[in-house]
Amino acid sequence: MEKELLQEDSQIIVIILIAIMVLLLMAVSLVLFFFFSRKKIIAAELEKANLEISYQKDLLHSTIEVQEEERKRIAQDLHDAISSKLNVVSLSTNFLIDGNLQEDEKDRTLQHILAVTTKTLESSRRLAHNLLPPILENFGLQAAIEELCDEFICSQKLQIDHNIVYTNLLSKNNELHIFRIIQELLNNSVRHGNATKVTLQMNEENEQVFIKYSDNGTGFDVESVNKNKGIGLKNIESRVDILDGELSYDSKIGKGATFNISTNTPKQ
């Protein structure tokens, strides 16, 4: 009887020990599971942070590159449109000061100075307009885009079918970004796409601005462009990112290009 009780006690002790071992194994397994899971989560978060840093570096590099290209363009325009013409005025004025010209030569020189000065004033107004269109400041984004389209139409470079619906949703700075994006798209259609027709639609819904742009130009290979983006596309991407928006585009060689842009940036 006593022996049987001892055997039962031994069995209970063994069961208890086995239960304790199982619980310890489960506890260790849970600790290891949470440890490695946490490690994976941290690794994923680090990878995400590194990707974000890499993206921000690429965006900063693209923005700086675009800014430098803009500075070069402005400097070239200043040289071609203003500096060179002022040099002509200076030379012509020196001829007058020397006093060795006949009366008819003086008249021709004065007329030439007047003509060059008039062209220089026109060039300076055009440069100022390109830097910050007065109509954008005075009459808003819709009027500025419509005027931009009319300029391309009047130059007979493009036939533009445009429908702009906008009610002062964005801040002035963000409106300028939208204007520059559309300006860049039109320039690209003419310079690189050799397009003759463009369709531009812009509307707003739920405090978002939506832009759909398409042309009938030569198009491009999307995969190649994604690997080696030009200044124009980088400029557009940088501005869309500043607007906290989204950009998608599609194109095929010989079949034109389509761009879809949306912005989530409210008026500030």
Side-chain angles (χ1 to χ4, degrees):
M1 182 72 176
E2 186 177 348
K3 191 175 182 179
E4 290 178 356
L5 289 173
L6 288 173
Q7 286 179 346
E8 288 179 2
D9 290 342
S10 298
Q11 290 176 352
I12 292 171
I13 291 171
V14 170
I15 292 171
I16 291 172
L17 289 173
I18 291 173
I20 291 171
M21 292 295 295
V22 170
L23 288 173
L24 286 174
L25 286 173
M26 289 177 63
V28 171
S29 299
L30 285 171
V31 170
L32 290 174
F33 172 77
F34 284 117
F35 173 77
F36 287 109
S37 296
R38 183 60 181 168
K39 191 175 180 181
K40 287 182 179 179
I41 292 171
I42 293 172
E45 289 177 349
L46 284 173
E47 184 179 0
K48 183 179 179 181
N50 288 332
L51 287 173
E52 182 66 23
I53 291 171
S54 177
Y55 172 75
Q56 292 297 332
K57 285 182 178 178
D58 290 341
L59 179 62
L60 179 61
H61 178 77
S62 299
T63 302
I64 292 172
E65 190 177 357
V66 168
Q67 288 175 344
E68 288 301 318
E69 193 68 23
E70 282 292 303
R71 289 190 182 102
K72 289 178 183 178
R73 183 187 62 79
I74 292 169
Q76 189 65 43
D77 286 345
L78 286 171
H79 177 271
D80 294 343
I82 295 179
S83 296
S84 59
K85 290 183 175 66
L86 290 177
N87 285 332
V88 172
V89 172
S90 178
L91 288 171
S92 299
T93 304
N94 284 330
F95 284 135
L96 289 173
I97 292 173
D98 288 341
N100 296 324
L101 299 177
Q102 301 295 326
E103 288 300 320
D104 58 336
E105 291 177 329
K106 289 181 180 179
D107 289 340
R108 285 197 301 271
T109 302
L110 286 171
Q111 290 296 327
H112 181 62
I113 290 173
L114 180 61
V116 172
T117 303
T118 302
K119 289 181 180 179
T120 304
L121 287 171
E122 291 174 355
S123 297
S124 65
R125 289 194 193 99
R126 188 178 68 253
L127 284 171
H129 182 275
N130 289 334
L131 290 172
L132 183 62
I135 192 172
L136 179 61
E137 185 69 23
N138 297 327
F139 298 100
L141 180 59
Q142 180 167 341
I145 294 174
E146 289 174 348
E147 183 189 60
L148 179 65
C149 291
D150 289 341
E151 287 176 359
F152 276 87
I153 293 170
C154 290
S155 67
Q156 298 185 354
K157 292 179 179 178
L158 281 176
Q159 177 184 334
I160 304 175
D161 179 14
H162 58 86
N163 181 25
I164 313 297
V165 179
Y166 177 76
T167 58
N168 197 28
L169 183 65
L170 303 175
S171 67
K172 286 295 181 183
N173 285 338
N174 290 334
E175 285 183 348
L176 182 58
H177 287 305
I178 293 289
F179 180 85
R180 293 301 186 205
I181 288 169
I182 294 174
Q183 188 179 45
E184 189 69 51
L185 288 171
L186 289 168
N187 285 328
N188 287 344
S189 291
V190 173
R191 294 174 185 171
H192 306 298
N194 297 318
T196 57
K197 293 181 181 179
V198 163
T199 299
L200 171 63
Q201 293 180 333
M202 176 173 163
N203 64 289
E204 55 188 41
E205 183 179 346
N206 297 327
E207 295 191 349
Q208 286 184 283
V209 176
F210 296 92
I211 300 169
K212 184 173 183 179
Y213 179 97
S214 61
D215 67 28
N216 67 341
T218 55
F220 54 85
D221 180 71
V222 174
E223 186 176 347
S224 298
V225 166
N226 286 337
K227 291 179 180 177
N228 186 21
K229 295 175 182 176
I231 292 293
L233 185 54
K234 287 181 180 178
N235 187 10
I236 293 170
E237 285 187 335
S238 296
R239 293 184 186 277
V240 170
D241 191 75
I242 291 171
L243 291 165
D244 191 27
E246 295 180 0
L247 166 68
S248 64
Y249 49 86
D250 186 43
S251 180
K252 289 185 174 68
I253 301 296
K255 293 187 177 181
T258 300
F259 291 80
N260 288 288
I261 300 166
S262 64
T263 171
N264 299 315
T265 306
K267 185 176 180 180
Q268 298 174 353

